Amino acid sequence: MTANPSKFVWYELITSDVDAAENFYKTVVGWESEPWESGGEMRYVIMKAGDTGVAGVMATPAEAAGMKPAWIGYLYSADVDAATESVRKAGGKVIREPEDIPEIGRFSVVTDPQGALFMMITPKGEGGTPAPQMTPGHVGWHELLAADWKSAFDFYASQFHWTKGDAVDMGEMGTYQLFAAGGDAIGGMMTKPPQIPSPPYWLYYFNVGDIDAAAKRVAENNGKVLMGPIQVPGGAWIVQCTDPQGALFALVGSRA
């Protein structure tokens, strides 16, 4: 029997200024926010699209002191302990061994063999039905900038049962390989251009309405638009940005 593909089920911003990040993303993406009351002494803010929690915002933990602010995605795992060990054996690095989050589930922090950071979680309970991919305020696309996309895809396919979608020829930029976790494509991966000096990383695209208005909100609220708006296959428009604390994120929307 073939295992079900693992999907992204949560997103978390690790930041140097929780209050500023909360206000920025509420303004830019249109989220609402509320504190997670079970976080104990740790402040954790849940960002919501309507009544649905989409992401969390927290301060950089002591054990990650010096880490640049970043968005990190959680992949679902039926058994996070076994999945963490499997990632380790496949050449990934375990940053934080599996541990429990009271009332939420069990999680770990890992990297793929090329160094891109992500988390895995076995949530308690069944959870809700995922929203359609382009639902406003939700994550509409997941993009991996890899050291070598082919070996990166092989890793994620073996660990999480992802499959290839279309391959887009981007000329000098190489191939942009779409991938699916059952059903339609949920993201793409490419070999990172040499002019991007950072290690491999995941980039998450938040759904907005008008892309020009959203890009303007980024700039007016002390964020930076690094690229775009540009149109992508399928007709959507994207911008890639950093928030005021330096975390990379992207937006996808339409243009009037």
Side-chain angles (χ1 to χ4, degrees):
M1 185 174 69
T2 303
N4 291 326
S6 294
K7 298 181 179 181
F8 286 96
V9 294
W10 191 249
Y11 308 88
E12 202 161 78
L13 175 62
I14 309 298
T15 185
S16 56
D17 190 332
V18 173
D19 290 336
E22 176 185 4
N23 291 329
F24 175 81
Y25 287 100
K26 287 173 70 173
T27 301
V28 169
V29 182
W31 284 330
E32 298 297 325
S33 66
E34 66 179 33
W36 181 45
E37 301 294 353
S38 300
E41 294 182 1
M42 178 192 73
R43 181 156 183 247
Y44 193 93
V45 177
I46 296 174
M47 310 303 289
K48 302 173 72 175
D51 295 328
T52 304
V54 174
V57 180
M58 63 178 286
T60 307
E63 61 267 27
M67 172 184 168
K68 182 180 177 182
W71 279 99
I72 308 172
Y74 283 75
L75 282 167
Y76 171 83
S77 173
D79 182 345
V80 76
D81 291 77
T84 301
E85 188 57 31
S86 181
V87 165
R88 194 195 323 263
K89 289 180 177 177
K93 183 177 180 181
V94 178
I95 306 299
R96 189 164 180 169
E97 298 286 349
E99 63 181 272
D100 293 321
I101 308 171
E103 304 175 18
I104 302 299
R106 188 166 175 82
F107 82 106
S108 66
V109 184
V110 299
T111 75
D112 66 24
Q114 298 178 25
L117 186 68
F118 63 98
M119 300 190 197
M120 296 183 291
I121 188 166
T122 303
K124 289 187 175 181
E126 294 297 319
T129 302
Q133 188 167 330
M134 298 312 293
T135 302
H138 288 252
V139 174
W141 198 248
H142 312 80
E143 190 168 273
L144 177 63
L145 283 295
D148 173 64
W149 78 260
K150 291 182 179 179
S151 57
F153 177 81
D154 290 343
F155 167 80
Y156 287 98
S158 68
Q159 298 299 307
F160 304 113
H161 310 286
W162 292 352
T163 55
K164 286 182 179 179
D166 293 337
V168 181
D169 182 356
M170 300 196 301
E172 292 182 359
M173 295 283 284
T175 298
Y176 189 84
Q177 177 63 57
L178 275 59
F179 66 87
D184 295 334
I186 62 166
M189 53 183 71
M190 62 181 288
T191 297
K192 185 169 59 68
Q195 62 266 33
I196 299 178
S198 66
Y201 61 92
W202 280 100
L203 180 64
Y204 304 101
Y205 286 72
F206 304 119
N207 298 325
V208 294
D210 182 87
I211 197 69
D212 294 294
K216 185 177 179 182
R217 292 194 297 271
V218 171
E220 290 177 344
N221 288 276
N222 298 316
K224 294 180 180 178
V225 175
L226 304 178
M227 185 189 77
I230 63 169
Q231 193 170 28
V232 294
W237 292 78
I238 63 167
V239 290
Q240 295 180 356
C241 314
T242 57
D243 67 20
Q245 288 68 51
L248 282 163
F249 70 100
L251 303 173
V252 56
S254 59
R255 206 172 206 180

